[in-house]
Amino acid sequence: MLAGIRLTFFCLLLFSLKSLAQEFGGNKPSIKWKQIVTSKARIIFPSAMDSQAIHIANTIQQIDAVSAQSIGVRSKPVSLVLQNQTTISNGYVSLGPFRSEFYLTPLQNSFELGSLPWSDQLAIHEYRHVQQYNNFNIGLSKIFSTIFGQQGQAFANNVAIPNWFFEGDAVYNETYFSNQGRGRLPNFFNPYRSLWQQQKKYNWQTLRNGSYNKFIPDHYALGYLLAAYGRKTYGDDFWKDVTHDAAAFKGLFYPLQKAVKKYSGVSYKTFRNKALDFFKDQFVTEDSLINVSPQAYKDEEYPVLIGGDSIIFVKTSYDKPHQFVLIDRGHEKTLNLKAVSLDNHFSYANNTIAYSTYRPDLRWGYRDFNEIELFNIVTKKHKRLTTSSKYFSPSLSPKADSVVAVNINTSGKANLDILSMKDGSKLSALVNNENLFYTYPIFARQQIISAVRNTAGQMSIQAIDVKTLQSRFIIPFSYNVIAFPFYKNDTLFFSASSGKQDKVFAYVFNNGKLFFVDPKLKTGIGKYQFNVSDNSIVFSTFTANGFRIETLLKSAIEFVPVSAGDMQLPLPDFGVSTLGTNPKPDTANQFKYTVTPYAKSKGLIAFHSIQPYISDPEYAITLVSDNILNTMGAQLAYTYNRSERFSKVSASAVYAGLFPLLYASVDYSINRRGFYNGKLLSWNEFEPGVGISVPLNFSRLNHLTFLNVGSRYTLNNSQYKGIFKDSISVNTFSYLNHSFRVTNQSQSARKNIFPKWAQTLAVNYKHAVTGYAATQLSTNGNIYLPGLIKNHSLVLNGAFLSQSASNEINFSSGFPFSKGYIGQNLQHMYKFGVNYNLPLAYPDAGIANVVYLLRLRTNLFYDHTYAKETFDSGFPYQAYFRSAGTELFFDTKWWNVMPVSFGFRYSYLFDEDAFGGSGHNRFEVILPANLFQ
């Protein structure tokens, strides 16, 4: 039975493994690409990035041989694309096609990913994924690869080897081959430390799959604990042996679990428990066990004391997206939704909030901006201070007459700009001659103070005199990460890692003394975003229920003197002694590489996978092609439509390297059906076509808005069969299909089934241009509204279709017929539907590590369709198709990786189903139409 389940969901997983990071046609055509070709990678990059590309090539070349010893020596070069137009910090490696992309803008928050040069960290971490895929193409995984191509291997690998290993092993690699890495940062361990501190005991399947209700650490954190423990306890060959057996499916079912037992000598469960216990023991002397009352998960971040004891902060929960919140006299008040941003940082002064908002480019997905947004908490007015900019961590001056922010250009260089609050004009730019990377700058009287990273990835704090531009570093550089400086009364407070803790320190300018600030508070892990008033302090600390704000009297904290040398203590290894045995990449020993142009036309057609596809009523098998720059996609496919019972073979291609997308396709359909003079008509259909569309992204602030306008020319040649074979014979005509699609939605929270506010509208107009005068107009729209209770959703649907009376052309229709009925393509159709969606339960329960149930939800619906048709004989036909019922959905994860929502529908038909079946009760199985996107 288990094998049957695996085969049933194989086609689902193939499509779900496509990387979410990929952007089709995301780069402007004006970008000129270059390349460096090595034995390990083809590095493709925009011009003027030669030095960074060479550095990445060197890093990969130097770590490859040593890194391969712990995973395998199989090697196939990967295509690696460097993206410098986006403000997002990310990287990925994918199969289908085999490629990697680095998004080269670093994060501001050094606690999250560390302070290493971002390109170095990406090279070490992501290249490990390259090695993993190269060495996991064996055994049964290789059979899947042979049959289904690269995505076949991806499916087999992800069934056999859990995602925690892929990422945990890569995090170990980034730590092993560097002087830092997440495995040496206290913040990386906070999620599990908080569970242990608050005695949260979750079962294994919950730790693997997450929850809609509880905070569960991600698979990066879990993976590192298991991967590092395995390397430390059983040697560098342990995971190589385990994963090779697993990828080959030795033992067939649960191959990794069996391999762990084989090479460790203990059961998989025992191995997991020992690994978690090992790291738990590293913090016994650091964290006190506490019990806290159960609370819903929420984050409270970046608190700012204003006036007496009032606090403004950013609040996020599983029920609501990011909000600016004010606590005044113990009462909590929402000030405003926080716009879509890359982090939750903001600055406050003189009733004004300043923060960076994320805005994508109108057309190019790899190009986006960070624009400074202002919000006045009194007048409730918004103001966009900068446009099409890349500013990070803006900080207001005390009088809110200027703002300092980090400006990162496409070369990756960071500068500090001081801007006018009137119009965003640049008042001054602080010269960065030392090639530092600035994070979280602030005003401090006549100085700008910023946490900085040097080219080695070490951190310090720099103070720059605004008038003289003289600067100095107030603490020595080290690999201990630093963030969140705050200045008050000649004292600078900041958070920094120290040993196994993230602590708050204070530097007093008038005497140059350094202190550890001890709040004498035992709840939570780490102290972040310290803020001080004349009488109080406030900061954010991490708990098993999210970040929580703690407020104390200033008199309650203790200032403990420390020396500058204490800031240079070596990073801890958290018991993983093997981390100290690594050779570091030798940046002084540079290989020589030749830089050559990379043609955009290279490899435009490159078939890599065969994909089965299920989106009822259509079932298809498709041969897929994608090029490395993601500007060209092509498919060869066979499709069977269960509802209309016809087959189709097709070839299609789309080119996205220009502002509009260009389409071309050829379809041949067999046994199409329709009505002619009240009788069933059957024909074969040949349809070549070309088209153009323009996808536009108008998203900004709290709204995600997308518009797509297109037009397609199609030539249709139909060969009729049966009783109409002689009377109609061959019918040839051409037509245009114009489309308009727009979606607009507000931000959603984790537990929202649908956005609180959203609208969608699709309009299609088809008209013949040769042969006939046939036309068809169809519209379909949805309005999403909040329900009676949080996480409930009311969805109103309306649709309309009207086509010319001539039956000589039968345009296909995507009309959303009332649920439960067998739909037909009639001349005039009107539809209204009401859907009320609500959650029923959050089981957090799994079966045999195969399927995990996160949520059970239902939809109560009523559909009302009215249709009418006038046949050529003059016989009028009209009918109602009304139904009501319920849908029961299961939101699940399969093999701890793939989210799948499926369900069952019961429909009661109030009217006769004129086109199929009898009786009023209908039962259906639901597979979501957009599962594979």
Side-chain angles (χ1 to χ4, degrees):
M1 180 179 178
L2 181 61
I5 293 174
R6 290 178 186 272
L7 290 174
T8 300
F9 282 87
F10 165 55
C11 54
L12 308 186
L13 187 55
L14 276 184
F15 280 74
S16 71
L17 294 175
K18 293 279 282 184
S19 172
L20 296 179
Q22 297 174 16
E23 290 284 349
F24 184 59
N27 285 304
K28 297 178 67 173
S30 59
I31 294 178
K32 294 183 172 145
W33 296 94
K34 294 183 178 181
Q35 66 177 344
I36 293 172
V37 180
T38 77
S39 61
K40 305 303 174 185
R42 179 191 300 273
I43 300 174
I44 304 163
F45 55 94
S47 58
M49 293 190 65
D50 300 43
S51 60
Q52 199 161 5
I54 290 172
H55 183 78
I56 290 171
N58 268 290
T59 301
I60 290 173
Q61 198 74 23
Q62 291 185 35
I63 68 171
D64 175 71
V66 176
S67 182
Q69 295 172 13
S70 60
I71 198 69
V73 296
R74 292 178 177 86
S75 181
K76 176 183 176 182
V78 67
S79 295
L80 195 168
V81 183
L82 306 185
Q83 301 288 357
N84 69 340
Q85 301 291 313
T86 176
T87 60
I88 295 172
S89 305
N90 203 357
Y92 73 88
V93 177
S94 72
L95 291 170
F98 186 36
R99 69 175 165 202
S100 177
E101 288 191 315
F102 291 0
Y103 297 179
L104 291 172
T105 300
L107 280 180
Q108 284 284 292
N109 190 346
S110 302
F111 284 105
E112 291 191 18
L113 295 176
S115 59
L116 293 174
W118 183 230
S119 60
D120 287 6
Q121 186 163 345
L122 283 172
I124 299 171
H125 182 104
E126 300 302 336
Y127 188 70
R128 185 58 164 190
H129 293 319
V130 173
Q131 293 178 316
Q132 291 165 347
Y133 281 128
N134 280 335
N135 286 280
F136 294 166
N137 192 24
I138 55 176
L140 188 58
S141 293
K142 187 172 182 62
I143 293 175
F144 272 89
S145 174
T146 301
I147 297 174
F148 295 101
Q150 292 181 14
Q151 290 182 6
Q153 180 194 339
F155 162 75
N157 286 173
N158 281 274
V159 169
I161 301 170
N163 60 352
W164 65 252
F165 175 78
F166 278 94
E167 296 301 346
D169 179 54
V171 171
Y172 184 93
N173 225 46
E174 82 185 41
T175 310
Y176 186 79
F177 282 101
S178 74
N179 291 305
Q180 193 185 76
R182 277 171 278 184
R184 292 191 181 94
L185 298 181
N187 182 268
F188 185 64
F189 295 88
N190 284 358
Y192 274 95
R193 288 176 69 177
S194 68
L195 298 188
W196 298 328
Q197 184 195 49
Q198 295 175 224
Q199 303 180 66
K200 301 279 188 180
K201 297 179 181 179
Y202 300 130
N203 64 55
W204 172 248
Q205 290 200 62
T206 298
L207 291 177
R208 285 292 288 114
N209 292 282
S211 169
Y212 280 108
N213 275 326
K214 301 181 283 285
F215 166 71
I216 304 297
D218 65 23
H219 59 285
Y220 286 77
L222 176 63
Y224 180 77
L225 302 186
L226 300 182
Y229 176 78
R231 289 279 289 268
K232 174 192 178 297
T233 307
Y234 301 103
D236 284 346
D237 289 340
F238 175 69
W239 288 115
K240 177 174 67 175
D241 295 335
V242 167
T243 54
H244 283 202
D245 278 12
F249 282 83
K250 291 186 177 180
L252 194 57
F253 302 126
Y254 304 106
L256 184 111
Q257 290 88 326
K258 292 177 180 178
V260 166
K261 184 176 182 179
K262 175 182 176 181
Y263 294 106
S264 70
V266 299
S267 69
Y268 183 56
K269 181 178 180 180
T270 300
F271 173 84
R272 298 188 321 243
N273 292 336
K274 283 189 172 184
L276 297 178
D277 287 343
F278 170 81
F279 283 100
K280 183 179 179 180
D281 290 343
Q282 304 305 310
F283 302 103
V284 168
T285 59
E286 301 284 335
D287 303 332
S288 302
L289 293 176
I290 61 172
N291 286 304
V292 297
S293 58
Q295 299 181 52
Y297 182 89
K298 62 180 178 180
D299 283 326
E300 300 171 337
E301 299 178 90
Y302 295 94
V304 176
L305 287 162
I306 62 171
D309 294 324
S310 298
I311 305 171
I312 292 178
F313 61 95
V314 175
K315 179 181 178 181
T316 313
S317 73
Y318 286 171
D319 297 306
K320 295 180 180 180
H322 311 296
Q323 298 173 312
F324 290 114
V325 173
L326 171 67
I327 294 180
D328 186 24
R329 299 183 182 91
H331 298 287
E332 188 174 297
K333 175 185 176 183
T334 299
L335 297 174
N336 198 65
L337 281 175
K338 185 175 185 291
V340 175
S341 306
L342 297 179
D343 60 28
N344 282 332
H345 171 269
F346 74 96
S347 174
Y348 174 84
N350 194 24
N351 295 327
T352 301
I353 287 173
Y355 65 107
S356 290
T357 64
Y358 172 82
R359 182 176 67 82
D361 185 80
L362 181 67
R363 165 64 178 87
W364 307 108
Y366 285 118
R367 186 169 183 252
D368 47 58
F369 309 100
N370 252 22
E371 301 172 332
I372 298 177
E373 186 77 15
L374 305 178
F375 173 67
N376 189 294
I377 67 171
V378 177
T379 65
K380 308 298 182 184
K381 291 184 178 180
H382 295 265
K383 177 182 178 181
R384 179 163 51 171
L385 190 65
T386 64
T387 302
S388 300
S389 59
K390 294 190 176 182
Y391 281 117
F392 297 80
S393 303
S395 180
L396 292 166
S397 63
K399 295 181 181 179
D401 55 357
S402 60
V403 60
V404 60
V406 182
N407 182 15
I408 302 178
N409 60 31
T410 54
S411 70
K413 185 174 182 179
N415 295 294
L416 290 179
D417 290 348
I418 300 177
L419 310 174
S420 168
M421 285 287 284
K422 291 181 179 179
D423 55 10
S425 60
K426 189 183 297 185
L427 300 177
S428 62
L430 306 184
V431 180
N432 181 9
N433 293 324
E434 296 166 285
N435 199 22
L436 300 169
F437 185 80
Y438 294 105
T439 64
Y440 300 114
I442 60 170
F443 287 93
R445 295 186 179 176
Q446 299 303 314
Q447 300 181 103
I448 300 294
I449 295 176
S450 176
V452 295
R453 310 172 193 165
N454 63 19
T455 55
Q458 298 171 314
M459 294 202 73
S460 179
I461 296 178
Q462 186 181 37
I464 308 168
D465 188 287
V466 176
K467 292 184 178 179
T468 66
L469 298 184
Q470 296 294 314
S471 67
R472 64 189 179 102
F473 300 104
I474 65 175
I475 59 173
F477 278 95
S478 76
Y479 285 105
N480 289 289
V481 295
I482 301 169
F484 317 126
F486 176 80
Y487 181 82
K488 180 74 173 179
N489 296 335
D490 202 46
T491 301
L492 177 71
F493 299 89
F494 59 93
S495 295
S497 61
S498 178
K500 296 181 180 181
Q501 300 281 0
D502 292 331
K503 302 176 181 178
V504 174
F505 294 86
Y507 177 84
V508 181
F509 277 88
N510 65 8
N511 58 24
K513 290 184 178 181
L514 187 66
F515 298 89
F516 159 56
V517 180
D518 187 359
K520 298 296 183 181
L521 191 70
K522 299 302 181 184
T523 59
I525 307 291
K527 308 294 183 288
Y528 309 98
Q529 301 142 19
F530 214 70
N531 196 271
V532 182
S533 68
D534 291 335
N535 301 312
S536 302
I537 63 167
V538 63
F539 59 89
S540 186
T541 186
F542 192 79
T543 76
N545 296 314
F547 281 100
R548 288 293 191 271
I549 289 176
E550 297 289 349
T551 306
L552 298 172
L553 291 175
K554 198 171 181 180
S555 58
I557 65 175
E558 179 181 359
F559 284 71
V560 181
V562 295
S563 67
D566 292 334
M567 302 299 297
Q568 293 180 296
L569 293 175
L571 298 176
D573 59 18
F574 298 98
V576 186
S577 55
T578 51
L579 291 175
T581 62
N582 58 313
K584 307 294 189 298
D586 182 7
T587 56
N589 181 21
Q590 298 289 300
F591 295 88
K592 303 299 181 182
Y593 298 107
T594 302
V595 176
T596 60
Y598 181 82
K600 297 176 186 178
S601 59
K602 184 178 179 62
L604 283 179
I605 301 296
F607 290 102
H608 54 76
S609 301
I610 296 176
Q611 298 175 341
Y613 179 89
I614 297 175
S615 181
D616 190 64
E618 290 195 338
Y619 301 80
I621 187 81
T622 305
L623 181 61
V624 181
S625 167
D626 294 285
N627 69 325
I628 296 303
L629 287 180
N630 218 3
T631 56
M632 181 80 173
Q635 296 185 347
L636 300 174
Y638 167 78
T639 303
Y640 176 73
N641 186 295
R642 178 191 59 80
S643 178
E644 298 185 40
R645 288 178 284 181
F646 69 85
S647 297
K648 179 173 68 176
V649 291
S650 59
S652 62
V654 55
Y655 182 70
L658 303 174
F659 189 83
L661 273 63
L662 306 178
Y663 297 87
S665 67
V666 176
D667 297 341
Y668 185 71
S669 301
I670 304 169
N671 291 329
R672 287 290 312 275
R673 299 189 310 151
F675 281 93
Y676 181 69
N677 286 337
K679 295 181 180 180
L680 186 65
L681 180 68
S682 178
W683 72 96
N684 296 338
E685 189 173 80
F686 175 68
E687 281 196 333
V690 294
I692 187 172
S693 73
V694 179
L696 301 175
N697 190 337
F698 292 94
S699 300
R700 186 174 178 267
L701 297 180
N702 295 309
H703 293 278
L704 310 176
T705 306
F706 305 91
L707 172 67
N708 192 304
V709 180
S711 187
R712 176 185 177 88
Y713 171 82
T714 301
L715 175 67
N716 182 287
N717 177 274
S718 300
Q719 299 176 337
Y720 292 91
K721 302 186 293 185
I723 61 174
F724 296 100
K725 180 178 180 180
D726 297 326
S727 59
I728 301 181
S729 186
V730 177
N731 184 15
T732 300
F733 64 93
S734 61
Y735 68 93
L736 286 169
N737 179 8
H738 310 290
S739 62
F740 173 90
R741 289 174 173 80
V742 62
T743 65
N744 176 61
Q745 72 170 71
S746 59
Q747 293 187 69
S748 293
R750 180 182 179 89
K751 293 173 71 173
N752 297 161
I753 298 174
F754 293 112
K756 188 175 181 182
W757 303 98
Q759 307 84 37
T760 69
L761 176 64
V763 180
N764 274 81
Y765 179 64
K766 300 176 183 178
H767 63 97
V769 293
T770 62
Y772 304 99
T775 62
Q776 183 194 80
L777 174 65
S778 64
T779 64
N780 186 10
N782 296 279
I783 299 176
Y784 296 79
L785 302 169
L788 299 175
I789 304 175
K790 64 181 180 182
N791 299 316
H792 289 207
S793 181
L794 175 65
V795 184
L796 305 179
N797 168 249
F800 166 74
L801 183 141
S802 178
Q803 47 197 344
S804 55
S806 170
N807 284 325
E808 294 173 306
I809 296 180
N810 190 295
F811 288 123
S812 61
S813 163
F815 187 83
F817 221 76
S818 293
K819 298 179 184 69
Y821 290 93
I822 301 297
Q824 287 295 329
N825 189 1
L826 301 176
Q827 184 179 352
H828 301 288
M829 295 188 287
Y830 309 83
K831 157 78 182 301
F832 174 73
V834 180
N835 299 267
Y836 192 86
N837 294 268
L838 66 152
L840 298 177
Y842 302 94
D844 287 343
I847 302 173
N849 278 306
V850 175
V851 60
Y852 183 82
L853 181 56
L854 286 156
R855 178 172 60 188
L856 188 64
R857 56 186 171 90
T858 189
N859 174 37
L860 308 175
F861 67 85
Y862 172 76
D863 284 345
H864 184 111
T865 298
Y866 170 69
K868 60 181 181 179
E869 173 102 19
T870 301
F871 298 118
D872 287 352
S873 62
F875 174 74
Y877 172 82
Q878 60 180 346
Y880 289 95
F881 301 89
R882 297 169 296 175
S883 64
T886 184
E887 297 170 327
L888 183 63
F889 288 98
F890 300 84
D891 295 330
T892 66
K893 274 192 179 180
W894 286 78
W895 298 294
N896 308 303
V897 176
M898 180 185 61
V900 175
S901 294
F902 64 93
F904 304 92
R905 176 188 297 138
Y906 166 72
S907 305
Y908 180 82
L909 277 54
F910 295 101
D911 303 294
E912 177 189 1
D913 189 357
F915 303 104
S918 60
H920 293 281
N921 301 298
R922 297 291 166 85
F923 296 90
E924 301 170 86
V925 178
I926 307 168
L927 289 176
N930 65 344
L931 176 65
F932 310 116
Q933 301 304 316

